[in-house]
Amino acid sequence: AALEKLPRHKIRDTPVPQLLERNTIVSQLSNLFAHEMKQPVTNIINYAAGLQMLHQSGRENGPTFDQALGAISDQAQRIAQIVDRVRAYARHQPLAKTPCVLADIVQAMLENFRMAQNSACTVSVEVAGNIRVVADPVALELLLLNLVRNAARAAAKTGEGKIFIRAQTLGRSVRITISDNGPRVNDDLFARLSRIGGVTSAEGLGMGLAIAKGIAENHNGHLEFSRSASGGLAVTLVMPAAERTEPNATAAIKTPS
């Protein structure tokens, strides 16, 4: 599809490796766009269906109707934000980063996760309210959301799925760990986790993990992988802390949910 957009004389004059690279980039962007757009679009469809039911029952003027309209507006704005991030990614533009409260980003991420995912997993969160990072809030939320989705898929394979989100400051760095109590990751897959493209979507990690790695690197951070004490996988995002982050803070958010 990418090659078809080039004029024939351009295709003839362009080296094969460059054509293949262009095709790969377009394919990656298409996958990224489809992967991230599915959730807000699904949310809008669900809210629209709810509005239709309220209309048919004559309850258009109640608070639930207004809440649904507000939620549709929020999800439409989220779609616009995702489009902006994909465009920036396509143009290799740096993301606009500002000092952010990590707990606020985690809370927004969990709200979107619960809205779109039919997951029975319990989520335990321990994030200090004064941990601050310099980030693009939407991009960081997408990173964490992809890690939580992967954890939910793994934890769902157990009888009682559990996801754990922990954050701490160490020196000038913030470490955010998302772990699960899913099945033990086999040695071959574990060894390939640190390589971009080393895992596939069929293994439940491919696209989401690639997105998370890319966003982490854009924030001068990286991902670390370890085996969770509860049996599954633990993925840790390590990124610089904002200047006003205080070490060893008491957790302000500690909510099994």
Side-chain angles (χ1 to χ4, degrees):
L3 300 183
E4 292 173 358
K5 297 179 181 178
L6 291 174
R8 290 186 180 277
H9 71 277
K10 289 286 188 180
I11 295 177
R12 288 196 301 268
D13 297 340
T14 305
V16 172
Q18 187 175 337
L19 289 174
L20 293 175
E21 180 181 4
R22 176 186 174 90
N23 211 31
T24 299
I25 292 173
V26 171
S27 176
Q28 289 175 344
L29 290 174
S30 298
N31 288 336
L32 171 61
F33 187 77
H35 189 270
E36 293 306 329
M37 291 293 283
K38 182 178 180 181
Q39 178 170 317
V41 169
T42 299
N43 293 342
I44 288 175
I45 291 172
N46 291 337
Y47 279 119
L51 287 175
Q52 186 175 21
M53 292 176 61
L54 290 173
H55 173 70
Q56 292 173 349
S57 63
R59 291 181 290 164
E60 301 98 322
N61 298 322
T64 304
F65 196 89
D66 293 337
Q67 290 172 5
L69 285 175
I72 288 176
S73 176
D74 291 343
Q75 292 302 303
Q77 291 178 21
R78 182 173 177 80
I79 288 173
Q81 292 170 337
I82 291 172
V83 170
D84 288 342
R85 271 51 178 195
V86 173
R87 281 179 175 171
Y89 180 82
R91 298 170 182 172
H92 302 285
Q93 295 175 343
L95 296 173
K97 305 180 187 71
T98 58
C100 306
V101 176
L102 179 61
D104 293 343
I105 296 175
V106 171
Q107 187 64 37
M109 177 274 297
L110 286 175
E111 289 175 1
N112 280 293
F113 171 73
R114 295 188 187 103
M115 194 180 300
Q117 304 291 322
N118 184 21
S119 175
C121 296
T122 60
V123 183
S124 175
V125 183
E126 292 186 19
V127 178
N130 62 343
I131 295 181
R132 294 167 60 87
V133 293
V134 178
D136 177 306
V138 175
L140 184 55
E141 182 188 331
L142 289 175
L143 186 164
L144 298 175
L145 181 60
N146 276 286
L147 296 182
V148 169
R149 284 175 184 158
N150 287 339
R153 281 193 289 266
K157 298 175 183 177
T158 66
E160 188 177 347
K162 296 180 181 179
I163 301 170
F164 306 91
I165 303 174
R166 306 283 187 268
Q168 60 178 328
T169 56
L170 289 176
R172 297 182 179 180
S173 296
V174 174
R175 297 178 62 87
I176 308 155
T177 300
I178 297 177
S179 60
D180 60 75
N181 67 336
R184 183 181 185 276
V185 177
N186 67 64
D187 293 339
D188 176 64
L189 176 57
F190 188 79
R192 289 185 282 126
L193 284 172
S194 60
R195 303 198 308 270
I196 294 180
V199 294
T200 65
S201 296
E203 292 169 303
L205 296 169
M207 176 55 64
L209 193 55
I211 293 171
K213 284 183 175 181
I215 295 174
E217 291 169 0
N218 195 278
H219 284 78
N220 298 317
H222 65 275
L223 299 181
E224 297 178 355
F225 304 91
S226 59
R227 299 191 187 280
S228 170
S230 54
L233 181 68
V235 184
T236 299
L237 167 64
V238 183
M239 63 184 298
E243 291 183 0
R244 284 191 285 174
T245 295
E246 299 176 9
N248 303 320
T250 303
I253 298 179
K254 190 172 183 179
T255 54
S257 53

